[in-house]
Amino acid sequence: MKRKLYLSVCFGLICAIMLSMSRFEAACDDLRQNVLRLHIIANSDSEEDQSLKLKVRDAVLEATGELFAEVSGKTEAVAAAKYSSDDIKAIAEKVIAEEGFDYSVQVEVTEMWFETRSYEGFALPAGDYDAVRI
């Protein structure tokens, strides 16, 4: 009798865990399908290039804030990013030149894999996302 009760409790726990994981996975899928990410690749892993990457990121985010504030979904965000890719490239090139570098810049809107990334107050799960890649 105890064994049947023990097996029933274990089975119930396994079912509860599976159900909560499927809801979590569905929430992750929803995020992946509704988020346009920004991915900036530094020229190298040097401290100097990593610092430059963050300056480019900050300038791009500041300059494109109004652009993306007007969109009502990811489809519009992707279209706006594609339409503005030359402007985004010019922003990155300006920052790079102002910092004394002559690196070339490419901007593309693409689908790519991201590892799980934690930010202040939230995290984005690993997976394939549409992204503006600089």
Side-chain angles (χ1 to χ4, degrees):
M1 182 70 168
K2 279 187 172 183
R3 183 180 166 124
K4 284 184 181 183
L5 179 62
Y6 175 77
L7 290 174
S8 295
V9 169
C10 287
F11 180 73
L13 285 173
I14 290 170
C15 288
I17 290 169
M18 297 292 280
L19 286 172
S20 67
M21 288 176 65
S22 66
R23 284 191 297 263
F24 175 74
E25 186 60 33
C28 291
D29 284 342
D30 186 54
L31 268 174
R32 289 183 202 108
Q33 293 182 15
N34 291 301
V35 172
L36 176 65
R37 295 187 67 170
L38 176 63
H39 182 66
I40 301 174
I41 302 169
N43 190 58
S44 75
D45 287 335
S46 74
E47 191 173 313
E48 195 173 48
D49 283 341
Q50 293 299 312
S51 176
L52 179 61
K53 175 178 85 169
L54 296 178
K55 289 176 183 177
V56 169
R57 177 203 63 195
D58 293 345
V60 167
L61 289 175
E62 182 179 332
T64 60
E66 287 183 28
L67 170 72
F68 292 112
E70 300 298 319
V71 302
S72 64
K74 189 176 93 170
T75 301
E76 285 185 22
V78 168
K82 287 178 179 178
Y83 180 79
S84 301
S85 63
D86 289 340
D87 295 332
I88 294 168
K89 180 179 179 181
I91 294 162
E93 288 173 334
K94 181 180 180 206
V95 172
I96 290 168
E98 287 173 349
E99 295 298 317
F101 297 93
D102 64 351
Y103 300 144
S104 64
V105 176
Q106 295 176 2
V107 176
E108 66 178 334
V109 179
T110 187
E111 184 179 300
M112 58 183 294
W113 172 263
F114 284 86
E115 295 293 331
T116 298
R117 179 74 190 245
S118 295
Y119 299 94
E120 292 181 25
F122 70 98
L124 290 174
D128 289 316
Y129 290 83
D130 287 321
V132 176
R133 184 175 180 176
I134 303 172

